[in-house]
């Protein structure tokens, strides 16, 4: 892992989406809401993929943080058992 970059932003929610091949002149989306999201970019090293980027809501971020903390607890348990 080279870097972790994050941003927090508002994402627009529209009442319709544009489809490829549709007449763009008739496309008139209406903003119906905004939602808070975080964008996370992980730059990798020694990988065929240079980076991974995704967006997550606050609830998904909490799940991700919990999963990472659980993995950290497991790694610590393994390290501790190796020293016994």
């Amino acid at each position: 892992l080279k870097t972790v970059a994050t941003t927090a932003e508002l994402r627009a929610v529209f009442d319709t989406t544009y489809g490829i091949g549709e007449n763009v002149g008739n496309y008139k989306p209406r903003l119906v809401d905004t939602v808070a999201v975080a964008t996370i970019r992980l730059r990798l090293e020694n990988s065929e993929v240079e980076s991974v980027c995704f967006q997550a809501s606050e609830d998904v971020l909490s799940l991700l943080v919990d999963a990472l903390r659980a993995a950290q607890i497991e790694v610590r348990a393994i390290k501790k058992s190796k020293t016994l």
Side-chain angles (χ1 to χ4, degrees):
L1 183 63
K2 287 184 184 178
T3 62
V4 176
T6 63
T7 60
E9 61 240 14
L10 285 175
R11 184 170 183 172
V13 178
F14 295 100
D15 64 343
T16 186
T17 57
Y18 175 75
I20 298 292
E22 293 179 10
N23 183 344
V24 72
N26 294 333
Y27 182 56
K28 302 200 183 331
R30 187 176 59 85
L31 180 67
V32 294
D33 201 1
T34 56
V35 293
V37 296
T39 299
I40 299 96
R41 181 177 182 216
L42 308 174
R43 288 191 59 216
L44 309 174
E45 56 187 342
N46 303 322
S47 174
E48 291 181 19
V49 178
E50 181 179 318
S51 65
V52 175
C53 187
F54 61 96
Q55 290 186 325
S57 66
E58 182 179 6
D59 291 343
V60 171
L61 286 172
S62 292
L63 293 172
L64 179 60
V65 168
D66 288 348
L68 291 172
R69 290 185 69 206
Q72 183 181 44
I73 290 167
E74 292 169 350
V75 168
R76 287 180 178 159
I78 292 168
K79 287 173 68 176
K80 183 178 178 182
S81 71
K82 286 181 68 176
T83 60
L84 294 179

